[in-house]
């Protein structure tokens, strides 16, 4: 198995959200000393998570380190500020810089890392939050006064209607400063208000 085949395997397994340590252990079990080291696997897995597509080595055309000029750094900073989810491949296309140069600017000069967004289950409007508080207080008052009992509830059901699905974890990853918390993304955004019906023996409770 040649080097590019190992890299292709790492790329596929990384796309399936398999950790670099697991990928390395499998390769080492099958190929022994021929398998790449853990550091190599981890490095390529990181590059693939950040958006790299190529498995071949970059062409060494003798480009000078002066590609990391202030103008290039500011150009990449501007693109990332406009779209924190941009990939290194897209930055290469926008700027014409090599993969290594873009990666060096992001990590060394801008001190950015790309991490997966933290999911938030739901996004409620102010009206929905206020309604939940009002209804809970109303039901608590009924329960306290003896006008409504939890034992009256027979069953309940709820329905959500969605107009958007969240993307894969890789597509939701964003560039952030090394000390910043991960960005957040709403897992599902409701198209209609959420209604919860609880059927009781003597009344219908609407949430």
């Amino acid at each position: 198995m040649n080097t590019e085949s190992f890299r292709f395997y790492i790329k596929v397994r990384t796309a399936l959200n398999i950790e670099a340590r697991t990928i390395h252990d499998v390769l080492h079990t099958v190929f022994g000393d021929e398998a790449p080291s853990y550091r190599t696997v981890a490095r390529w897995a990181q590059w693939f998570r950040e958006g790299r597509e190529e498995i071949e080595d970059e062409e060494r055309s003798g480009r000078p380190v002066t590609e990391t000029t202030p103008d290039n750094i500011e150009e990449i900073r501007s693109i990332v500020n406009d779209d924190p989810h941009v990939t290194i491949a897209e930055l290469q296309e926008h700027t014409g810089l090599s993969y290594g140069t873009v990666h060096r600017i992001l990590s060394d000069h801008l001190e950015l890392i790309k991490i997966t967004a933290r999911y938030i289950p739901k996004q409620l409007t102010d009206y929905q939050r206020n309604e939940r508080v009002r209804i809970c207080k109303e039901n608590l008052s009924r329960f306290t006064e003896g006008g409504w009992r939890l034992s009256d509830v027979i069953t309940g059901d709820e329905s959500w209607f969605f107009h958007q699905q969240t993307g894969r974890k890789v597509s939701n990853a964003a560039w952030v400063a090394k000390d910043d918390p991960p960005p957040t993304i709403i897992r599902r955004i409701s198209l209609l208000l959420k209604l919860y019906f609880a059927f009781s023996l003597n009344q219908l409770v609407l949430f």
Side-chain angles (χ1 to χ4, degrees):
M1 193 167 180
N2 59 31
T3 300
E4 291 184 358
S5 297
F6 282 127
R7 292 173 183 172
F8 182 76
Y9 178 83
I10 296 169
K11 179 180 179 179
V12 172
R13 304 299 280 177
T14 300
L16 294 173
N17 293 322
I18 297 176
E19 296 294 329
R21 174 61 67 182
T22 303
I23 298 173
H24 171 263
D25 290 345
V26 172
L27 288 174
H28 189 268
T29 299
V30 177
F31 297 99
D33 293 338
E34 295 181 11
S37 66
Y38 169 71
R39 291 185 62 183
T40 299
V41 172
R43 182 172 66 251
W44 279 91
Q46 178 67 23
W47 286 344
F48 290 136
R49 279 194 296 271
E50 292 172 352
R52 177 164 181 163
E53 295 293 336
E54 302 82 5
I55 59 175
E56 300 84 6
D57 287 321
E58 294 179 11
E59 294 184 6
R60 301 185 181 276
S61 57
R63 289 184 175 183
V65 180
T66 52
E67 279 192 337
T68 55
T69 62
D71 289 342
N72 289 339
I73 293 173
E74 286 306 312
E75 183 179 8
I76 290 182
R77 187 199 306 274
S78 176
I79 295 173
V80 171
N81 286 341
D82 290 339
D83 180 13
H85 302 283
V86 67
T87 65
I88 290 183
E90 291 169 337
L91 287 170
Q92 285 182 263
E93 183 178 349
H94 281 298
T95 62
L97 300 174
S98 67
Y99 181 93
T101 299
V102 173
H103 190 275
R104 184 164 54 251
I105 290 175
L106 289 168
S107 60
D108 297 344
H109 295 272
L110 300 181
E111 297 185 341
L112 299 177
I113 57 175
K114 198 168 193 181
I115 56 179
T116 302
R118 180 170 57 88
Y119 285 113
I120 297 176
K122 304 164 189 173
Q123 184 180 38
L124 300 178
T125 65
D126 290 339
Y127 171 79
Q128 289 172 318
R129 285 192 288 267
N130 292 334
E131 278 297 285
R132 277 159 172 71
V133 173
R134 181 188 66 79
I135 292 171
C136 287
K137 288 181 177 179
E138 181 179 322
N139 288 336
L140 179 60
S141 176
R142 290 180 183 178
F143 178 76
T144 303
E145 295 170 359
W148 183 69
R149 299 175 301 170
L150 293 178
S151 59
D152 289 338
V153 177
I154 299 175
T155 186
D157 196 9
E158 60 182 7
S159 296
W160 274 93
F161 298 89
F162 304 105
H163 73 276
Q164 175 178 319
Q165 298 291 332
T166 55
R168 297 172 54 208
K169 286 187 176 181
V170 173
S171 64
N172 291 329
W175 295 102
V176 299
K178 293 181 179 179
D179 296 329
D180 286 352
T184 58
I185 186 170
I186 308 301
R187 183 177 291 275
R188 295 185 185 274
I189 301 175
S190 58
L191 178 62
L192 301 176
L193 293 178
K194 180 180 179 181
L195 298 179
Y196 178 81
F197 296 92
F199 299 93
S200 67
L201 293 176
N202 54 11
Q203 61 183 311
L204 173 65
V205 181
L206 176 63
F207 290 84

